[in-house]
Structures are given as structure tokens and as C-alpha cells.
Amino acid sequence: MEDPESAGAPAAPGLSSLLPPREFLRSRKGQLLLAESVLSFIIFICYIASLAASFMMAPLLEFLLALFLFFAYASKLNEKFKGVYWPLADFLRCVTAAIIYFAISIAAVSKYSDGASKAAGVFGFAATIVFAIDFYITFNDLVTFLKQGSSDSPEGRKTEGGWNSCLLN
């Protein structure tokens, strides 16, 4: 009898259907989002175990946002919901995360003397670099989009009037 998986049949639905596709995991965006999620979770755990527990909310929120975007991009949710400009939302998330991680890492390293706070600070500096790389790459996507928008004809961009026409002209 022939094995159904070797015959090219699709895999049975189960836990493997929740995993992102391999091509997304190999992409630069997938690796950055995975690194952001892992680093944010490690920093969250470090802050829980440290004297600087008041800083634990920022890594928790960044972990959840990075995890959401990871699965949104992996499941191509960004292609299904065209009303949201995903690179702009991702850019704003990365900029704020880099600034927040940099600030709380400086505070954790300089103000607290326990090992968990120092570890959270060091991982926070690493997360700052990862988020900065991500917002640099996303910024390039935004610039490309804005250049495309400015090369369109003015008639195609105008609306009936009101607030949108003020923003577009």
C-alpha cells in the first residue's frame, strides 16, 4: 500500500496547519519578526524575574504585536485586508519599539543592580538593533510606495473634497 504523504497528497489538517510556510520563515521579514518575537519574550521573562518589573509591559506588548504581524504576514492577511497599509503600521511599530527598548534598557542597566535587570537591558539593546533594522527596511518600502503615489496623475488622486483632498494636494 502506498503512503499518502509520498504520493503528493496534501498533509492532513492538524497542528502543522498552524505553522507558517517555509518560504515565509526563510524570508527576511519572517526572520526579523521571529527574532523580534523571541527577543521580546526573553526580555519579558527577564523583567518578570528582576527588580525592574515595572518595565515588563512594553516587552509584553511588543511580543504580542510582533507575533500578530508574524502570523498576519505568514497567512497573507495583509493581502486580504487592503484597507490597512501594513508597511506603515509595521514601520510605526518598529520605530516606537526601538525607542522604547533603548530607553528602558538604559534605565534597567543603569538603575538596577540585579542580574535579571542587566540581562533584560542587554537583550533590550539587541532588540533595539533588530527593530532598527526592521524599520529601516520597512522605511525603504514606504519610500517606494510614496514615489509610486507621486508619479500618478493628479486626477487619479483627487477625491470629492474635504479632508482627503487636503491631504492629497
Side-chain angles (χ1 to χ4, degrees), residues 39-164:
L39 280 171
S40 295
F41 185 72
I42 290 171
I43 295 166
F44 173 69
I45 297 299
C46 288
Y47 279 130
I48 286 177
S50 73
L51 296 174
S54 59
F55 295 140
M56 75 177 181
M57 194 61 172
L60 176 63
L61 287 175
E62 291 303 330
F63 168 70
L64 293 174
L65 286 172
L67 201 61
F68 168 74
L69 279 177
F70 179 77
F71 283 109
Y73 282 131
S75 64
K76 299 190 189 297
L77 195 63
N78 58 330
E79 295 173 4
K80 295 175 187 168
F81 292 103
K82 300 282 185 184
V84 177
Y85 187 62
W86 292 86
L88 179 62
D90 197 19
F91 173 75
L92 293 174
R93 178 190 64 89
C94 290
V95 167
T96 56
I99 293 169
I100 289 170
Y101 272 132
F102 187 68
I104 66 174
S105 296
I106 289 174
V109 169
S110 64
K111 189 176 178 183
Y112 298 96
S113 61
D114 61 317
S117 295
K118 302 277 186 201
V122 170
F123 281 116
F125 288 126
T128 300
I129 293 169
V130 170
F131 278 102
I133 291 169
D134 196 6
F135 84 69
Y136 175 75
I137 292 169
T138 307
F139 178 75
N140 289 335
D141 293 342
L142 282 172
V143 169
T144 304
F145 171 75
L146 291 174
K147 284 182 181 177
Q148 283 177 340
S150 65
S151 67
D152 291 341
S153 65
E155 293 82 26
R157 292 185 298 153
K158 287 188 179 178
T159 59
E160 295 290 322
W163 183 253
N164 288 337

